[in-house]
Amino acid sequence: RALSTFSRVSRAHDGLLSPRARCLMTLVQRAAGASTPPSDAYTDTHTFDHEIDRIFHNNWLCLGSENQLKQPGSFLAGELAREPFLVVRAHDRQIHSFYNVCAHHAAALVDSGLGSLPDASEITCPYHGWTYASTGALKKATRVKGIENFKPKNYSLQPFPYSHAGPLIFGHFGGMPDRTPSPCYS
């Protein structure tokens, strides 16, 4: 009955809907009688873009565990919801989260996976050698001589919100969230 009402409303407003909304409505209608979602639900780029925007960028995503970052300079890096991330235990033993992108030419700072920085207090971009403190501040920039008004403080690594739930580290790629993750155990 709800699907019937949904179908009537969607037909009445079809000309007003965006291509993405029409695609989603089609998927919902086709899925109503199916035992599994239609194959389009897994392969359609509009559906994927919508899921990234509405689900992954609006929720806390588990990035790893504090147990993976025991020593200063240890890091975990990867890509989740199209966002390259870097989580580092800094020399002050605090955890920091950044997009894994150099502020200079957007090169990846470290390879995906678990690792340890050669110098526990620094992250060096392999492309032009810009060097950041493990807290994200730009320490050294190459090839900037003659650039007017260059201020290193404007070129720190871009952080994203992170939080803990027990030993788990969660990141939020959609700006400042309105809630923090909570552990599923007591």
Side-chain angles (χ1 to χ4, degrees):
R1 182 179 187 140
L3 185 61
S4 173
T5 302
F6 178 77
S7 295
R8 278 195 318 274
V9 170
S10 67
R11 279 193 304 271
H13 294 92
D14 192 48
L16 304 174
L17 298 175
S18 70
R20 180 182 290 172
R22 276 195 300 278
C23 176
L24 290 172
M25 287 178 138
T26 301
L27 288 174
V28 168
Q29 290 167 343
R30 287 178 53 200
S35 58
T36 61
S39 61
D40 296 17
Y42 303 103
T43 59
D44 182 74
T45 57
H46 294 296
T47 302
F48 183 65
D49 292 341
H50 184 76
E51 289 175 346
I52 292 290
D53 184 50
R54 299 296 178 132
I55 298 170
F56 294 101
H57 285 174
N58 284 311
N59 288 290
W60 288 97
L61 304 175
C62 186
L63 304 177
S65 170
E66 280 194 58
N67 299 333
Q68 296 171 301
L69 304 173
K70 292 182 179 178
Q71 300 300 318
S74 56
F75 68 83
L76 64 97
E79 185 173 307
L80 191 56
R82 295 183 177 150
E83 302 291 351
F85 69 87
L86 170 61
V87 181
V88 179
R89 181 164 308 269
H91 61 280
D92 61 2
R93 303 208 53 85
Q94 298 298 308
I95 292 178
H96 298 273
S97 61
F98 310 104
Y99 290 94
N100 187 17
V101 175
C102 179
H104 184 220
H105 277 293
L109 297 164
V110 298
D111 291 332
S112 291
L114 296 172
S116 184
L117 301 171
D119 178 337
S121 65
E122 293 182 344
I123 304 165
T124 302
C125 177
Y127 191 57
H128 282 130
W130 279 33
T131 303
Y132 301 88
S134 56
T135 57
L138 179 63
K139 290 175 69 174
K140 182 180 103 180
T142 60
R143 302 180 184 191
V144 294
K145 187 177 181 179
I147 297 176
E148 286 186 44
N149 301 317
F150 180 82
K151 294 181 175 81
K153 69 179 181 176
N154 295 336
Y155 292 90
S156 296
L157 295 180
Q158 184 66 42
F160 61 84
Y162 82 95
S163 189
H164 303 267
L168 299 178
I169 301 168
F170 290 83
H172 196 288
F173 298 117
M176 288 307 293
D178 57 359
R179 65 192 186 290
T180 58
S182 59
C184 300
Y185 53 86
S186 51

